[in-house]
Amino acid sequence: MIVLVFGPLYQRIRAEWTAHSIAEDARDIPGLLATLTEDCVYEVVQEEAVWRGHEGATRFYTGLLTAFPDIHFDLQQIVIGPQGVWEEAHVTATHRGDWLGHTATGRAVQFDVLIYFPWDEQRQKFRGERVYFFGLD
C-alpha cells in the first residue's frame, strides 16, 4: 500500500523548494540564500568540490551562473519528503566560462543533474545541495 501525505511539512518543504527554484531562475542570489541554513553545504560529489555557508553558496552560484549564464533546468522528476527534496533535471546552457575543471567551449551543452536538498526541520530551510551531474564533457 502506498500512502501519500500532503500535510503541513510537505507543503512547507515544497514552498521552500519552489522559492529556491524561482530565485535560481531569476539569478537572485539573496533569494537563494534565504532558502538555506547559515551553515549550508554545497557539494558536487564526483568533483569532490565543497562550499560551506552562505559565502560558499554564493561562490558556488556565482561560478555556476558565470560559466553557464543562460542555464535552464528542465525538471524531469521530483521527490519531496521529510528528509528534503530529490530532483532530476535535464540542463541546457551555453558554456561561457570554466567550471570545476571543465574548460569553457562557448558552445551549447546539455547534461543531466541529480540534486538532493537536505531539509533542516528545526530551521525550516535547506542545509545545502548534493549535486551529481552527467554528460558534461
Side-chain angles (χ1 to χ4, degrees):
M1 172 195 286
I2 297 175
V3 178
L4 300 177
V5 179
F6 296 104
L9 179 59
Y10 168 87
Q11 292 170 356
R12 177 68 185 124
I13 294 169
R14 182 168 192 227
E16 201 69 6
W17 178 84
T18 300
H20 184 92
S21 296
I22 290 169
E24 189 167 49
D25 286 347
R27 311 309 190 245
D28 173 12
I29 291 180
L32 285 163
L33 296 178
T35 68
L36 303 169
T37 61
E38 290 284 334
D39 61 347
C40 63
V41 177
Y42 271 70
E43 180 179 8
V44 178
V45 177
Q46 74 267 32
E47 300 291 330
E48 298 181 355
V50 178
W51 300 262
R52 298 185 187 283
H54 279 192
E55 187 271 330
T58 299
R59 283 189 293 115
F60 169 82
Y61 278 110
T62 301
L64 178 69
L65 297 173
T66 299
F68 306 101
D70 60 349
I71 195 167
H72 173 73
F73 293 86
D74 183 17
L75 183 64
Q76 303 295 304
Q77 305 287 332
I78 186 170
V79 178
I80 300 172
Q83 303 88 350
V85 175
W86 185 264
E87 168 189 324
E88 176 186 356
H90 182 71
V91 175
T92 55
T94 307
H95 195 178
R96 299 265 183 227
D98 295 347
W99 187 66
L100 299 178
H102 296 271
T103 303
T105 64
R107 295 189 311 242
V109 295
Q110 296 184 43
F111 57 97
D112 295 302
V113 295
L114 300 173
I115 306 170
Y116 172 56
F117 299 80
W119 182 248
D120 187 306
E121 189 170 352
Q122 290 185 316
R123 294 182 279 180
Q124 300 286 290
K125 301 211 178 283
F126 294 111
R127 293 190 322 263
E129 296 183 26
R130 288 181 55 100
V131 180
Y132 305 80
F133 67 89
F134 309 92
L136 178 63
D137 298 321

